Amino acid sequence: METANQTASESQGAGQTLAPLCTVRCCGLLNRTVAVMFMVSLDFAIVVGNVVTLTVFMQTRHSRTPQGYLKVSLAIADMMVGVLVVPFSVYTEISLMVTSTPPLWYQGISTASPEGGSGPWQPCMLIGPVFAGCTFVSISTIFLMTVERSVAILRPLHKDTLVTQHRTMFLILLSWTGSFFLAMAPLMLSNSFTLEYNECSRMCNYAPILIKQQLPPDANILLLFPAFDFSLLGGTLAVNILSFTSIRRYSRKRKLLSEGSLGMDSGAGGCPHRPSFSDIKAAKTIGILTFAFTASFSPIAVFVLGNVVGYTWCNFSFFAFWILTSNSCCNVIIYSVRDHRFRKGLTLLFQRDRPQPHSEKS
């Protein structure tokens, strides 16, 4: 594979992207068939899971809170991945299986001029930014959810004053706008990139346009993506540490009170402004969401860093991108295990669809 990568790289002229690197082992009929089956199964899980999530939240009063709005925003971002990004990869893979001519948006087929010229419009110009934008929306929404829960834990008496529905909706709108602007940054800030279907990751990715067999001087623009995500993840981790430290302190005082080590004058649990049990459990749930997203995004960050310095990592790129995509169906699983209100709403949703017995109708 490394020999093929080197040969393909040497065969490019100025203003072209890397040529296809596929071999029979990685792009044969059997490999593509297995990949398509995996994509279809994952897409089904993403769409069904997030439809259920949105339905439950929209039919319960819990969705009319700031936390509910944030969860709906996160589910919509995941839904867009399942509706647009994954089906396009399935369509492209099936097209490559039934035809011998790669589509226009395939890697090495699309070209762009370093002076700013470009070929016909390609669907990857939409699909690529959608995937990147939804990824940024997910991490920024998780950060906002963490801040919202930390206010409820650290300042429970001021929660309703600080965290309002209008402020939450404004921050959600700002998150979506900023995320998609960042997703388009390589195209807006430089003429050295294009979007095309990558045969290794089997997704629409940013590709640097080679100039005399060399990467463009501004190829490090792509480092904006992992820098943004890890900055927000670092902030999310810091806020979570503050929240969990407060929870631990409250739990310790509550345990001492139950053992009689604290006097009655120390307040309920030694904490006059103690957080509610639901706030504590929600904070732990968001911590799990943060861990899941960090674990799924870290391989992408490693791949982007290697790509900027000139490495291809064909097989690794497939696992990196699709591990991140799989995160879009994880939230409904986490909610089902951790959120009792979500489980209750899910139960009511399915019970409502069942026909009532004749005795109950009469």
Side-chain angles (χ1 to χ4, degrees), residues 5-32:
N5 294 350
Q6 183 178 3
T7 304
S9 178
E10 291 174 353
S11 64
Q12 301 303 301
Q16 290 185 317
T17 59
L18 289 175
L21 309 175
C22 260
T23 63
V24 175
R25 180 172 61 88
C26 69
C27 296
L29 180 61
L30 178 61
N31 185 279
R32 291 195 188 279

Side-chain angles (χ1 to χ4, degrees), residues 156-176:
L157 297 181
H158 303 86
K159 178 181 68 174
D160 295 334
T161 303
L162 296 175
V163 183
T164 64
Q165 292 186 4
H166 292 290
R167 289 178 180 175
T168 303
M169 295 298 293
F170 171 76
L171 290 175
I172 290 174
L173 179 62
L174 183 64
S175 168
W176 279 81

Side-chain angles (χ1 to χ4, degrees), residues 1 6 18 36 40 65 97 114 127 131 161 182 287 299 322 352:
M1 180 64 69
Q6 183 178 3
L18 289 175
V36 168
V40 171
T65 63
M97 291 169 59
I127 302 299
F131 181 62
T161 303
L182 179 61
W322 287 96
R352 186 178 304 173

